[in-house]
Amino acid sequence: MAGSNEALPGLCFLGLLLCLCSSSAAAASTPDLLYLNLLWPGGYCQSVNLGEACCIPTTGVPAADFHVQSLETYDSSSGNPIINCDSQCRFLINPLVDLIEDMFAYWPNLSCPSNNGMDQWRHVWCTYGNCTGLSEVVYFNRTLQLRERANILVTLQNWGIVPDASSTYRLELIEEALKSTLGSSSFSVECERRYTVWPLLYQDYLTRIRICVSSDATTIVTCPTVLTTNCDSKVKFAPILYAASPGRQGDATANPVRLRSAMDMLL
Ligand SMILES: *[C@@H]1O[C@H](CO)[C@@H](O)[C@H](O)[C@H]1NC(C)=O
Ligand SMILES: *[C@@H]1O[C@H](CO)[C@@H](O)[C@H](O)[C@H]1NC(C)=O
Ligand SMILES: *[C@@H]1O[C@H](CO)[C@@H](O)[C@H](O)[C@H]1NC(C)=O
């Protein structure tokens, strides 16, 4: 009798350990919440590297619209990202053949020096995509579909919020506009702060919209934890400007470069 009483705490401890181990193992393989990150190139390109402009990609034509940055995998109960699920992860471009024009348009890497976007796609796939349990083509396709469905630029335009070099907009108005289509607790607006006179004078630029998405990447959902904005009450929605790179037109959207075959240029 005494013996079994003594064993009890040990058993409980063992049970607790097993419990913790199995729940973290389950969490590591099954994200239950995704974050869709949509970049506004106008803000992003004003803010990277202390205001240096972005570089037009070497291949394809970036759209004058919000771009996908990533679709991140999370465990909603811990709030932690679930990443790098397979150290052997490989990214293949061939499965994306039917999506490639959209990838160039809506999922470019605008960082300098100019590049074709592949490193970013590989990085996003092996960091997050591989953890979703979706195939590569389904992961990238659903992400592109979500971007389209969120329809941020058109929604803002309908509320009179248009890219403008000199105006600022009230953050509240931007949030009201997005609530009307995305739902009230399903997103956050993120800004980058640029100082004109540090630390006294600055301007916040709308840079990113972060949206909560179901684990199968099909549906915009209410966020389990409220996402907070880091923007000031007045926000700049800057027009898109890219630095001209050798051999490419400075304003990519005004003079689209037609491609023989986007795939030919990657392979
Ligand atoms: C994740 O990557 C590994 C290694 O390439 C692969 O075997 C596995 O099928 C991938 N998972 C998915 C969902 O594609
Ligand atoms: C992407 O998804 C859409 C909507 O489900 C579908 O119509 C389209 O065929 C898919 N594209 C690819 C390349 O899988
Ligand atoms: C985007 O491109 C830049 C410049 O070519 C590169 O340094 C960076 O790693 C790329 N981003 C990702 C996520 O691969």
Side-chain angles (χ1 to χ4, degrees):
M1 197 61 206
S4 66
N5 272 341
E6 271 164 31
L8 212 52
L11 276 177
C12 284
F13 181 64
L14 198 65
L16 184 65
L17 267 186
L18 284 175
C19 223
L20 287 175
C21 290
S22 62
S23 72
S24 65
S29 56
T30 54
D32 64 349
L33 175 68
L34 308 179
Y35 287 115
L36 174 65
N37 295 307
L38 300 179
L39 282 181
W40 174 244
Y44 173 74
C45 295
Q46 295 267 350
S47 58
V48 284
N49 301 332
L50 301 171
E52 250 176 49
C54 292
C55 287
I56 303 178
T58 51
T59 314
V61 183
D65 203 334
F66 282 81
H67 294 162
V68 175
Q69 180 184 33
S70 56
L71 183 68
E72 300 174 335
T73 37
Y74 272 75
D75 172 24
S76 67
S77 54
S78 70
N80 293 326
I82 295 173
I83 57 170
N84 302 324
C85 294
D86 195 322
S87 57
Q88 307 298 308
C89 177
R90 289 198 313 150
F91 171 79
L92 302 172
I93 194 67
N94 299 55
L96 304 183
V97 63
D98 294 330
L99 296 176
I100 200 71
E101 296 281 354
D102 280 352
M103 297 285 290
F104 286 132
Y106 296 109
W107 206 324
N109 177 356
L110 297 175
S111 298
C112 299
S114 291
N115 65 90
N116 64 15
M118 283 263 279
D119 284 346
Q120 168 170 259
W121 302 335
R122 179 183 297 111
H123 177 77
V124 170
W125 168 250
C126 285
T127 308
Y128 305 109
N130 187 252
C131 296
T132 59
L134 304 173
S135 72
E136 228 184 89
V137 64
V138 170
Y139 173 79
F140 283 95
N141 195 21
R142 287 193 183 164
T143 305
L144 289 166
Q145 304 263 324
L146 284 165
R147 189 213 70 86
E148 197 175 336
R149 200 135 21 94
N151 205 17
I152 308 282
L153 187 60
V154 170
T155 301
L156 293 177
Q157 268 162 7
N158 289 344
W159 284 62
I161 303 162
V162 291
D164 190 285
S166 50
S167 324
T168 56
Y169 295 97
R170 284 186 304 113
L171 173 65
E172 271 181 14
L173 183 69
I174 294 171
E175 289 180 333
E176 277 304 305
L178 297 181
K179 278 177 193 176
S180 72
T181 52
L182 299 179
S184 61
S185 313
S186 57
F187 68 92
S188 62
V189 178
E190 296 184 354
C191 294
E192 296 261 0
R193 185 158 291 181
R194 281 186 80 197
Y195 289 93
T196 39
V197 180
W198 193 88
L200 299 176
L201 295 180
Y202 59 80
Q203 185 69 65
D204 278 356
Y205 285 76
L206 192 162
T207 302
R208 195 163 87 147
I209 309 289
R210 194 162 161 83
I211 302 173
C212 293
V213 171
S214 61
S215 60
D216 63 357
T218 60
T219 316
I220 293 169
V221 298
T222 300
C223 301
T225 317
V226 176
L227 298 180
T228 50
T229 181
N230 66 347
C231 304
D232 218 1
S233 58
K234 291 261 172 82
V235 169
K236 207 149 212 161
F237 187 30
I240 299 174
L241 296 170
Y242 300 120
S245 38
R248 300 298 303 261
Q249 178 68 28
D251 182 352
T253 55
N255 188 3
V257 179
R258 283 282 133 234
L259 298 169
R260 283 165 310 161
S261 156
M263 285 303 279
D264 285 353
M265 308 189 72
L266 278 181
L267 295 170

